[in-house]
Amino acid sequence: MSITHLLPGRLGFGTAPLGNMFRAIPDEEAAATVAAAWNQGIRYFDTAPFYGAGLSEIRLGDVLAQHPRDDYVLSTKVGRVVLDETEDPAARDLGEKGGLFEHGCPNKMVNDYTADATLRSIEDSLKRLRTDRLDIVWVHDVAQDFYGDEWLAAYESARTGAFRVLTRLREEGVIKAWGLGVNRVEPLELTLDLDEPRPDAFLLAGRYTLLDHDRALQRLLPAAAGHDVDLVVGGPYSSGILAGGAHFEYQKAPAEIVTKVERIKALARQHSIGIKAAALQFALAHPATAAAIPGATRPSRIAEDLAALDEKIPAAFWTALREEKLISADAPVPTA
């Protein structure tokens, strides 16, 4: 059930920012960023209908359509259907992620994890992405941050709908793998306890980072490894705060997070390394992690990510983080 054989490398490209997350990005800048990723060797791209109500998929598809389909790995998500009718993007109810894509397309989105909606979502994504097939499909955001106390009802709808459809599509060879793409560990733990259906991997955003990893370490990652279910780490920079930005959990970072980041930065300066390198390599150090998919909206960010992946980090830096209790004592760290 592993996806490591599918992925072309340990670094992919997360395209949520291409859906105009936080700001309105010119089409030319978005296209140049995807082109920069391609030109520098990135061959795994992840997107979703949710990202700007289809905008990210459209922009990604426009660039990838210029390349042979066999040369890259593509994942998108189900759980939301994009309609032709329009609404005010800024007024959408996005749970804890309010206003995240207020600059995206105005198309109305409906949350729907049923079998029919899953098939429709895939068909619509194929059109927007200008491709004839998907490699990996994630069931998107079936968790507390979007559904609050009702998340288990949404999860059950996905279990009896999307999970079964994606299992059938995998068995038929229509897709190569499926899993959940969420920002919370509980739905993933619940899925690992099921007798069926069985996912191949999980996309977990924000919960295995320098700033937040304790809960994932306790049960999820050992259980995932035991079931041969890989982890793709989304948001390794914690919505940007670990890469020079001001956001954490898709909102303005609170004071305690800013303080923690400053402490990590101070140690990074003492050891002459970049905090992006520390963040990216930490996320990839766990044996269950198959890849990380940082996002970007500027072409220069791609080279920064690749450099961060290769930067040499002394063991003394990780020791210092542990001594100051900035990372868990149980967290695997990179070895030189």
Side-chain angles (χ1 to χ4, degrees):
M1 293 279 182
S2 172
I3 63 167
T4 53
H5 64 289
L6 297 178
L7 299 178
R10 304 208 72 198
L11 189 67
F13 183 35
T15 66
L18 299 186
N20 282 355
M21 186 169 69
F22 302 137
R23 67 183 180 97
I25 304 159
D27 288 337
E28 298 78 7
E29 186 177 346
T33 303
V34 179
W38 181 275
N39 292 336
Q40 294 177 73
I42 302 296
R43 293 294 183 270
Y44 170 40
F45 300 87
D46 176 75
T47 186
F50 178 58
Y51 303 155
L55 180 59
S56 171
E57 289 185 319
I58 291 168
R59 285 171 159 174
L60 180 62
D62 285 347
V63 178
L64 292 184
Q66 303 168 29
H67 303 287
R69 181 61 185 87
D70 290 343
D71 287 357
Y72 61 91
V73 173
L74 180 62
S75 63
T76 192
K77 304 178 183 74
V78 296
R80 296 184 179 90
V81 178
V82 181
L83 307 180
D84 290 333
E85 59 187 285
T86 61
E87 62 182 356
D88 179 4
R92 292 182 180 128
D93 180 7
L94 302 181
E96 297 176 8
K97 309 297 190 296
L100 188 59
F101 291 105
E102 61 182 317
H103 302 291
C105 293
N107 298 70
K108 185 176 181 179
M109 292 187 294
V110 294
N111 300 336
D112 196 335
Y113 297 93
T114 62
D116 288 345
T118 297
L119 292 170
R120 177 179 174 182
S121 180
I122 290 173
E123 181 180 352
D124 291 347
S125 288
L126 290 172
K127 292 175 183 176
R128 288 189 291 266
L129 287 162
R130 299 172 59 184
T131 186
D132 62 351
R133 67 186 187 276
L134 301 169
D135 298 298
I136 306 167
V137 177
W138 309 109
V139 181
H140 204 192
D141 287 334
V142 57
Q144 305 94 311
D145 50 334
F146 280 94
Y147 296 101
D149 293 340
E150 303 299 317
W151 80 271
L152 285 172
Y155 180 92
E156 182 63 11
S157 177
R159 186 189 68 81
T160 58
F163 289 16
R164 293 175 180 174
V165 167
L166 295 177
T167 297
R168 175 172 59 81
L169 293 179
R170 181 185 62 194
E171 291 172 349
E172 294 172 352
V174 177
I175 62 175
K176 296 176 181 177
W178 73 273
L180 277 69
V182 295
N183 296 275
R184 295 291 184 270
V185 301
E186 291 86 352
L188 307 185
E189 294 174 347
L190 189 59
T191 302
L192 289 173
D193 287 337
L194 297 176
D195 291 330
E196 57 80 32
R198 305 303 306 175
D200 302 279
F202 296 135
L203 169 52
L204 179 61
R207 301 284 75 77
Y208 197 71
T209 71
L210 274 178
L211 297 179
D212 187 345
H213 53 269
D214 287 344
R215 176 64 190 267
L217 274 172
Q218 290 171 13
R219 180 173 181 267
L220 174 63
L221 291 178
H227 285 84
D228 201 23
V229 173
D230 294 321
L231 185 74
V232 174
V233 174
Y237 304 136
S238 293
S239 300
I241 190 69
L242 289 171
H247 291 92
F248 173 76
E249 281 294 281
Y250 311 103
Q251 305 294 330
K252 183 176 175 57
E256 63 270 19
I257 291 296
V258 173
T259 298
K260 186 173 183 179
V261 171
E262 288 304 316
R263 291 176 63 197
I264 296 173
K265 284 182 177 179
L267 289 175
R269 286 192 297 269
Q270 288 177 24
H271 292 86
S272 301
I273 63 165
I275 192 170
K276 285 186 75 171
L280 188 58
Q281 293 187 36
F282 176 85
L284 288 167
H286 197 285
T289 302
I293 51 169
T297 58
R298 293 183 173 88
S300 61
R301 302 299 190 213
I302 306 301
E304 291 178 9
D305 290 336
L306 289 166
L309 189 64
D310 293 334
E311 188 171 336
K312 301 300 182 184
I313 299 179
F317 170 73
W318 303 112
T319 299
L321 286 183
R322 283 179 170 150
E323 288 176 347
E324 295 202 18
K325 302 189 184 312
L326 290 169
I327 61 171
S328 169
D330 299 325
V333 297
T335 55

